[in-house]
Amino acid sequence: YKAEVCIDDSLLSTKTVVRIARTDDEFGVILGRFYKKSAIVYEGEDYEYKTVQINWLDETTVIINGREYSVN
């Protein structure tokens, strides 16, 4: 997995988001392939993109600003 810090602009607000995505966007199964989209696990104030702290606890748990999030 990888974590991406992004700015999300909408008509109503601007916010910082952290998206989690697989590093291998495409993975095979018996009959075809699946593509997994990224998932937003954190939303914060617009200015937080400068100071957000991201650390990985293990392969499926990310810590964002001291709070744990499961990415499964």
Side-chain angles (χ1 to χ4, degrees):
Y1 292 97
K2 64 181 175 180
E4 300 175 317
V5 178
C6 305
I7 299 294
D8 186 13
D9 286 324
S10 70
L11 293 174
L12 301 175
S13 68
T14 301
K15 58 188 170 187
T16 298
V17 296
V18 176
R19 290 188 178 119
I20 302 294
R22 293 178 64 96
T23 54
D24 54 341
D25 292 333
E26 173 183 328
F27 54 97
V29 293
I30 295 172
L31 297 173
R33 294 199 158 305
F34 284 105
Y35 297 89
K36 183 160 181 136
K37 293 184 177 183
S38 62
I40 295 175
V41 295
Y42 175 83
E43 295 182 355
E45 298 295 327
D46 59 345
Y47 59 85
E48 286 187 70
Y49 76 94
K50 296 179 182 179
T51 60
V52 68
Q53 294 183 2
I54 301 173
N55 297 301
W56 288 93
L57 182 62
D58 56 34
E59 291 182 6
T60 60
T61 308
V62 64
I63 300 172
I64 302 171
N65 292 336
R67 189 167 178 199
E68 290 184 17
Y69 298 87
S70 176
V71 296
N72 283 352

